[in-house]
């Protein structure tokens, strides 16, 4: 029978199916961090259990960590306690930990791929919704809650209902200044922030194929922002070239065998998806959000929509969002003054993102009065940015390059946007208060962030780079 | 470790007629720094319930003295965003046992079910009926019967039959949790691992 890519990977990991449509799903790789793991560790301890397969779990602190002076003890007492608890728990359970200042530390969804712990055909979970990132390698990867983290600790399996499948195809060539981030913001603006709920998405089409692994990760990362359980892309030569030679990738004969197996991971020609969307790459422009969920995105040169076509709670929610943002329908986004720029996160904190940002700001100067946080996704990204001379370009233009962590994406550390201030952010969520109480987030690509950082206002990158 | 058993009850409800309520609103990230699961109810909907100086915002439904009870009624796409289980913990800790909406985000739904908090998905029109009933009489009560899978507006007698997967229903009614079940499967899991490694 014809199968989708998702079905192939999922079915190969079902230990048993139980009544009511749930499956006991075997997990190949489990990533943990300091925020969603402590209660799960207490849970197995209270049951008198040990972690069943500690060698399949990898830990790193990322959500809470400061992005300056990481060699010093963490100032915030609670953050420090969470990070110390992670260290103690990993030691007790024999789990490998990439702690602060370790060369492999970083945002969990950045370090998994860059060390090749993430590989095609795997099932991967983490107590973090952006686990969908790893789907870029043709893995079934999705975020779970803490109860489920405990299930994985206890049994290396979880109980899950099998999601429906969705194919999103983007065909054609991407225009100037249009990045992977714009592609995914465009898709979410079309299908809404709940359009993918209950589904696992496969992204395909020539525009997706043309993306680098970094770009594919950006797309899969944000599949949760349309409500999907995860997103994935069939592995191909781009995938294999990225993985080859990385630390945990198979070597020698094992590599050849692995690639041969990975090449079977694609949706069969006549495989049937529950839902299919097709988009034309030529319709996609640089995108920016104007509201308080990631589905509220528009082309950067468009004006803020009206709510006339909405009614009831749809209308109320739309107007509440505009009020929070301090925007009015009909206004143009271009030219709006901004206060902060954040480049980083598991969405856009990879080397390619900083290359793009540096290229765009090279020879220019940071706008006065704008605070810019450039936060690498990992120690490896940080190191590479120094080695490639990216940091020199940034410094020359008046920017500071920080140390790795989740940072202002969710503002659990000190990197908080003040109330009422506008932040052009390369992260994934523009929810109320996400970047700090009362903060106003405008989601965009690293290129659009670069244009804002040097002009101090929302700027069309296509005008900026011509 | 059992979860609390779910028993049939009748209660007033708190209406929150807002769509796309994400888990950052349910419990902001700055309150996720605990290493133990306790006290999260204090910070439920923190930035909608309290202003910056910590005073209650009286117009917010949870602070409105007319509304109370163990049932939260919310607009569609409730629980979207972050996978933080703290969202389900904070709702439960505050005293809610049921959340009613016309649409739930997947991860939230799983997290709720794993913690004895019942997500009841109703039609958009029934949801509006509930809001209307509360609007005309805030003290109106509702009855949730998991055994029968029904949610009833007591004042009108209108009942909605909701669906839930059979396994999770049994877990909630009996207070079973998944970890005990999965641990009991270890021999089967080991056999699966051996087969997988042979391939």
């Amino acid at each position: 029978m014809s199968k989708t890519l998702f079905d192939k990977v999922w079915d190969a990991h079902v230990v048993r199916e139980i009544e009511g449509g749930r499956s006991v799903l075997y997990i190949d790789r489990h990533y943990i961090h300091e925020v969603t793991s402590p209660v799960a560790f207490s849970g197995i301890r209270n049951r008198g259990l040990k972690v069943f397969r500690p060698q399949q779990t990898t830990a790193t602190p990322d959500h809470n960590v400061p992005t300056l002076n990481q060699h010093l003890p963490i100032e915030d007492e609670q953050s420090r306690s969470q990070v110390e608890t992670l260290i103690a728990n990993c030691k007790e359970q024999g789990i490998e930990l990439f702690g602060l200042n370790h060369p492999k530390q970083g945002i969990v969804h950045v370090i998994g791929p860059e060390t090749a712990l993430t590989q095609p055909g795997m099932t991967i979970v983490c107590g973090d919704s952006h686990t969908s990132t790893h789907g870029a390698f043709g893995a079934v990867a999705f975020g779970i809650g803490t109860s489920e983290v405990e299930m994985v600790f206890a049994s290396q399996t979880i109980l899950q209902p099998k999601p429906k499948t969705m194919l999103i195809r983007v065909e054609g060539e991407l225009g100037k200044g249009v990045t992977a981030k714009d592609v995914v913001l465009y898709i979410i603006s079309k299908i809404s922030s709940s359009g993918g709920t209950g589904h696992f998405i496969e992204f395909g089409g020539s525009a997706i194929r043309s993306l680098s692994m970094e770009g594919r990760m950006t797309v899969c990362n944000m599949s949760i922002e349309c409500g999907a359980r995860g997103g994935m892309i069939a592995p191909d030569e781009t995938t294999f070239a990225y993985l080859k030679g990385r630390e945990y990738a198979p070597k020698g004969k094992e590599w050849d065998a692995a690639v041969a197996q990975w090449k079977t991971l694609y949706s069969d020609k006549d495989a049937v998806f529950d839902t299919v969307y097709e988009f034309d790459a030529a319709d996609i422009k640089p995108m920016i959000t104007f509201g308080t969920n990631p589905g509220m995105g528009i082309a950067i040169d468009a004006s803020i929509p009206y709510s006339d076509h909405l009614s009831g709670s749809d209308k109320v929610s739309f107007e509440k969002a505009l009020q929070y943002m301090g925007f009015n329908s009909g206004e143009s986004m271009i030219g709006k003054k901004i206060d902060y720029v954040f480049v980083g996160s598991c969405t856009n904190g990879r080397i390619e993102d900083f290359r793009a940002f540096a290229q765009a700001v090279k020879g220019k100067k940071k706008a006065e009065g704008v605070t810019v946080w450039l936060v690498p996704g990992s120690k490896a990204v940080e190191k590479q940015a120094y080695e490639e001379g990216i940091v020199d370009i940034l410094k020359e233009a008046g920017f500071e390059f920080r140390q790795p962590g989740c940072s202002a994406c969710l503002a659990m550390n000190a990197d908080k946007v003040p109330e009422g201030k506008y932040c052009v952010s390369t992260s994934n969520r523009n929810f109320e208060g996400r970047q700090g109480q009362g903060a106003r987030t405008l989601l965009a690509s690293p290129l659009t962030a670069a244009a804002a950082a040097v002009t101090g206002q929302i700027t069309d990158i296509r005008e900026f780079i011509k | 470790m059992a979860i609390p058993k779910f028993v049939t009850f009748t209660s007033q409800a708190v209406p929150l007629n807002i769509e796309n309520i994400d888990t950052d609103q349910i419990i902001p990230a700055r309150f996720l720094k605990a290493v133990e699961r306790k006290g999260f109810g204090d910070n439920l909907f923190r930035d909608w319930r309290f202003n910056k100086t910590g005073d209650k915002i009286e117009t917010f439904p949870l602070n409105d003295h007319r509304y109370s009870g163990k049932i939260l009624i919310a607009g569609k796409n409730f629980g979207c965003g972050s996978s933080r289980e703290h969202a389900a913990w904070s709702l439960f800790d505050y005293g809610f046992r049921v959340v009613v909406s016309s649409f739930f985000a997947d991860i939230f739904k799983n997290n709720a079910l794993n913690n004895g908090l019942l997500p009841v998905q109703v039609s958009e029109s029934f949801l509006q009926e509930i809001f209307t009933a509360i609007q005309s009489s805030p003290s109106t009560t509702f009855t949730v019967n998991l055994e029968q899978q029904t949610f009833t507006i007591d004042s009108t007698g209108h009942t909605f039959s909701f669906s839930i997967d059979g396994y999770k229903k049994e877990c909630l009614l009996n207070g079973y949790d998944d970890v005990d079940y999965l641990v009991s499967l270890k021999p089967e899991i080991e056999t699966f691992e051996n087969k997988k490694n042979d391939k």
Side-chain angles (χ1 to χ4, degrees), chain A residues 243-260 262:
Chain A
L243 288 171
K244 193 168 188 181
R246 288 184 189 259
E247 184 167 358
Y248 298 101
K251 305 282 181 320
K253 273 186 187 158
E254 285 182 12
W255 169 260
D256 297 336
V259 171
W262 294 342

Side-chain angles (χ1 to χ4, degrees), chain A residues 147-260:
Chain A
S147 294
E148 293 165 320
V149 171
E150 189 178 338
M151 291 176 209
V152 182
F153 281 162
S155 69
Q156 204 58 35
T157 64
I158 50 171
L159 269 172
Q160 287 290 301
K162 189 175 182 180
K164 293 178 187 168
T165 53
M166 178 183 285
L167 175 64
I168 296 182
R169 206 183 281 131
V170 187
E171 296 287 356
E173 221 171 291
L174 296 174
K176 189 178 78 167
V178 178
T179 69
K181 181 64 163 287
D182 303 300
V183 172
V184 72
L185 283 174
Y186 176 84
I187 292 170
I188 302 165
S189 78
K190 291 291 171 195
I191 72 171
S192 91
S193 65
S194 59
T197 306
H199 289 77
F200 216 96
I201 301 174
E202 179 178 344
F203 296 97
S206 55
I208 299 291
R209 292 259 146 258
S210 74
L211 296 174
S212 65
M213 286 315 296
E214 283 86 350
R216 294 179 188 188
M217 283 189 256
T218 300
V219 171
C220 290
N221 172 278
M222 286 195 70
S223 43
I224 179 69
E225 306 311 335
C226 62
R229 284 303 268 130
M232 64 198 303
I233 295 171
D236 59 11
E237 293 304 326
T238 305
T239 320
F240 310 144
Y242 178 96
L243 288 171
K244 193 168 188 181
R246 288 184 189 259
E247 184 167 358
Y248 298 101
K251 305 282 181 320
K253 273 186 187 158
E254 285 182 12
W255 169 260
D256 297 336
V259 171

Side-chain angles (χ1 to χ4, degrees), chain A residues 195-398:
Chain A
T197 306
H199 289 77
F200 216 96
I201 301 174
E202 179 178 344
F203 296 97
S206 55
I208 299 291
R209 292 259 146 258
S210 74
L211 296 174
S212 65
M213 286 315 296
E214 283 86 350
R216 294 179 188 188
M217 283 189 256
T218 300
V219 171
C220 290
N221 172 278
M222 286 195 70
S223 43
I224 179 69
E225 306 311 335
C226 62
R229 284 303 268 130
M232 64 198 303
I233 295 171
D236 59 11
E237 293 304 326
T238 305
T239 320
F240 310 144
Y242 178 96
L243 288 171
K244 193 168 188 181
R246 288 184 189 259
E247 184 167 358
Y248 298 101
K251 305 282 181 320
K253 273 186 187 158
E254 285 182 12
W255 169 260
D256 297 336
V259 171
Q261 203 272 319
W262 294 342
K263 283 182 173 172
T264 68
L265 299 174
Y266 54 85
S267 288
D268 295 328
K269 271 213 168 65
D270 43 359
V272 178
F273 291 82
D274 295 296
T275 312
V276 178
Y277 286 102
E278 300 205 17
F279 298 107
D280 185 346
D283 293 338
I284 308 176
K285 295 177 177 179
M287 296 285 293
I288 193 151
T289 62
F290 63 90
T292 55
N293 74 59
M296 300 177 87
I298 48 175
I300 195 146
D301 57 359
S303 49
I304 297 172
Y306 287 87
S307 60
D308 299 350
H309 61 292
L310 302 172
S311 61
S313 58
D314 286 319
K315 195 178 172 83
V316 173
S317 301
F318 182 91
E319 284 165 1
K320 182 177 185 292
L322 282 198
Q323 192 186 5
Y324 180 85
M325 293 301 292
F327 292 156
N328 296 301
S329 294
E331 288 175 357
S332 161
M333 289 302 287
I334 289 173
K336 283 191 179 296
K337 292 255 179 292
I338 56 107
D339 311 289
Y340 284 74
V341 171
F342 170 59
V343 180
S345 85
C346 56
T347 311
N348 282 119
R350 300 185 180 79
I351 192 66
E352 190 175 89
D353 302 313
F354 292 102
R355 278 184 199 138
F357 184 93
Q359 193 60 40
V361 302
K362 192 175 184 176
K364 302 189 171 67
K365 288 285 177 201
K366 181 182 86 67
E368 267 184 50
V370 176
T371 303
V372 181
W373 293 318
L374 306 177
V375 182
S378 69
K379 288 300 277 185
V381 171
E382 181 188 22
K383 183 165 176 268
Q384 198 173 348
Y386 277 96
E387 287 170 358
E388 289 187 11
I390 290 171
V391 179
D392 294 331
I393 296 172
L394 296 174
K395 281 188 177 156
E396 179 66 33

Side-chain angles (χ1 to χ4, degrees), chain B residues 57-78:
Chain B
I57 298 169
E58 297 297 343
T59 52
F60 186 63
L62 269 73
N63 295 332
D64 189 325
H65 61 89
R66 292 175 299 164
Y67 307 127
S68 64
K70 298 196 279 186
I71 305 169
L72 180 70
I73 316 287
K76 72 178 175 209
N77 199 24
F78 185 82

